[in-house]
Amino acid sequence: KQEVTQIPAALSVPEGENLVLNCSFTDSAIYNLQWFRQDPGKGLTSLLLIQSSQREQTSGRLNASLDKSSGRSTLYIAASQPGDSATYLCAVRPGYSTLTFGKGTMLLVSP
Amino acid sequence: DTAVSQTPKYLVTQMGNDKSIKCEQNLGHDTMYWYKQDSKKFLKIMFSYNNKELIINETVPNRFSPKSPDKAHLNLHINSLELGDSAVYFCASNKQGEGYTFGSGTRLTVV
């Protein structure tokens, strides 16, 4: 059974810092990995999708990497802004099942 | 707008009632899902459905049943609501091999 762990559970940084959110998964036989953002009381917004054959994906100030063999992914946020404050969720799609989520990292970027 | 839409956004109901949550996607996706987000914000799969196969998470009580009138709709029907059913329910969809798109959620409160 696939398990997804996100570290840290919460993170508070001043505006302008670069930061890294970590995600690990127990079964490396994944189809793809997706990072989402969830604002309080809102739905999930997809940030980046990495297919199993890819090593990284970039969108603006966000960069996600995938190391399938070690069961790890990182989400790098450059030059953080208060508007980046949200919960970031990592989810993996095992080859045999549906998207499985971690418990998220709650990020607070202070002005 | 292309999206996954859920209605209602909020639902407050008494124990023992039967209720339905509707979901529609206009993205042309072939698979739809229902996820439950509990009070600790953890997202867990309930059902996945395409026109060939319904996969049910074995932990979901049989009071919950998905109903799909066509490829673009997957409604969630809940019988005999219990206090523990209070949660946020998210509908999602995807095309095989691609990322998931989520609706904005339905906050269900059972009193």
Side-chain angles (χ1 to χ4, degrees), chain B residues 46-64:
Chain B
M46 299 178 71
F47 304 101
S48 69
Y49 184 76
N50 61 29
N51 58 1
K52 299 173 189 171
E53 192 176 18
L54 170 66
I55 301 175
I56 303 171
N57 184 321
E58 65 273 9
T59 65
V60 175
N62 59 14
R63 297 180 295 103
F64 289 78

Side-chain angles (χ1 to χ4, degrees), chain B residues 1-101:
Chain B
D1 274 353
T2 53
V4 178
S5 331
Q6 292 180 232
T7 53
K9 193 170 173 63
Y10 300 97
L11 183 55
V12 181
T13 187
Q14 290 188 325
M15 280 175 55
N17 283 352
D18 302 339
K19 289 293 178 187
S20 291
I21 306 172
K22 295 187 176 182
C23 178
E24 174 182 7
Q25 55 93 7
N26 61 4
L27 299 164
H29 289 169
D30 49 30
T31 307
M32 296 183 73
Y33 310 85
W34 278 104
Y35 278 81
K36 178 180 180 180
Q37 188 171 44
D38 60 25
S39 56
K40 295 182 179 176
K41 310 297 183 191
F42 186 48
L43 274 153
K44 207 169 173 186
I45 183 70
M46 299 178 71
F47 304 101
S48 69
Y49 184 76
N50 61 29
N51 58 1
K52 299 173 189 171
E53 192 176 18
L54 170 66
I55 301 175
I56 303 171
N57 184 321
E58 65 273 9
T59 65
V60 175
N62 59 14
R63 297 180 295 103
F64 289 78
S65 55
K67 297 187 192 304
S68 180
D70 55 57
K71 270 181 66 170
H73 296 83
L74 183 66
N75 304 324
L76 182 64
H77 191 75
I78 316 168
N79 289 327
S80 305
L81 277 154
E82 301 178 357
L83 293 176
D85 297 333
S86 296
V88 182
Y89 293 84
F90 285 98
C91 178
S93 69
N94 80 321
K95 191 176 273 191
Q96 189 170 5
E98 297 182 359
Y100 286 40
T101 301

